[in-house]
Amino acid sequence: MRKLKWEVKFGIILIILIFIIYGIDYIIFGDFHDIFHYVMLHLGFIPIDILIVTLVIDKVMDNHEQKTLQEKIDILMGSFFSGIGNGLISMFYYANGEVNITKELKSIETWKEKDYENVLNELDENPISFNFKLSSEDRTKFFIELKEYLNERRPYLFDLIENPTLHQTDNFSELLLAMMHLTDELSYRKTFENLPESDYTHLSYDISRVYSKLIYEWIRYLEYTYKNYPYMLKLAVRINPFNENASIYVKE
């Protein structure tokens, strides 16, 4: 209310000043027609000013803000995959084995822009399912290592979830929440030996949710680096978790 009163007072002062200025002009020059013509001429420019500001300047500023925001999001995603995402993909891939789409993911170094779009569309329509290929003993070991891996990085996950920048992207936020849920599910279990088969199925479903979203965001991040930072893409190719022959060392 106080702000509104200040604005009203300021507006009244400006209107009074307008009448004073034009009144002085009339007293000195005595030409009301010239004043009216001058006022109408400037009023005619108001729609033009609005058009320029709203359709041109605002659009440019909005595009710049969107680009800046996207860059911040992708920097965070790069940090996410370095800190937790790539390791998690490797663990899931090892336990799940190869499915149709992972054959394509082995050769990301040859992809063009259309390949990224095609794979993202495919993942939208057919999310990756998770089915253990491990023996009972290896499956237990996998869950123990996965629990350890996620619990060690729980504070980092919390920091990402609380980051206001990531509130702008629903897909990545959903991935983080799915990962936090999986972390909680594993944390509450004291042992992974001799679990009911139904419980393994439940955990597999939680992993599937994370795995599919994780790969989707990984590919979307690679697409961004492909378009904007090719040197970052080269690193991603050398540590590709879906390619057993990938090596961080530059050999050529």
Side-chain angles (χ1 to χ4, degrees), residues 155-167 176:
Y156 178 63
L157 277 177
F158 270 123
D159 288 343
L160 285 175
I161 289 172
E162 292 174 354
N163 193 310
T165 302
L166 294 178
H167 296 171
L176 294 177

Side-chain angles (χ1 to χ4, degrees), residues 100-214:
N100 287 337
I101 197 168
T102 57
K103 295 175 183 176
E104 300 176 46
L105 301 179
K106 288 184 177 183
S107 56
I108 55 175
E109 68 274 11
T110 64
W111 284 12
K112 304 301 180 186
E113 187 171 344
K114 193 66 179 175
D115 296 311
Y116 290 100
E117 295 175 9
N118 290 339
V119 173
L120 287 173
N121 289 334
E122 186 177 343
L123 282 172
D124 266 333
E125 296 172 5
N126 303 297
I128 291 179
S129 58
F130 187 86
N131 299 292
F132 282 107
K133 68 167 187 177
L134 304 176
S135 65
S136 178
E137 184 180 339
D138 286 339
R139 187 166 58 176
T140 300
K141 183 182 176 184
F142 165 79
F143 275 122
I144 292 172
E145 291 176 351
L146 180 61
K147 177 181 176 179
E148 239 173 65
Y149 185 85
L150 289 172
N151 276 335
E152 286 174 0
R153 291 157 179 80
R154 184 191 287 266
Y156 178 63
L157 277 177
F158 270 123
D159 288 343
L160 285 175
I161 289 172
E162 292 174 354
N163 193 310
T165 302
L166 294 178
H167 296 171
Q168 308 294 324
T169 170
D170 292 337
N171 288 339
F172 195 55
S173 296
E174 287 176 6
L175 167 61
L176 294 177
L177 290 173
M179 288 176 64
M180 187 57 70
H181 174 73
L182 176 61
T183 305
D184 290 339
E185 285 276 5
L186 297 175
S187 295
Y188 282 116
R189 288 167 172 78
K190 304 303 180 186
T191 181
F192 297 100
E193 293 182 1
N194 303 317
L195 292 180
E197 206 54 43
S198 56
D199 200 37
Y200 282 124
T201 302
H202 176 81
L203 289 174
S204 295
Y205 180 77
D206 288 334
I207 291 174
S208 292
R209 186 189 297 115
V210 173
Y211 191 32
S212 192
K213 293 180 184 297
L214 189 60

Side-chain angles (χ1 to χ4, degrees), residues 239-251:
I239 59 173
N240 184 355
F242 295 100
N243 186 353
E244 295 85 352
N245 299 318
S247 171
I248 185 59
Y249 302 106
V250 180
K251 298 178 180 179

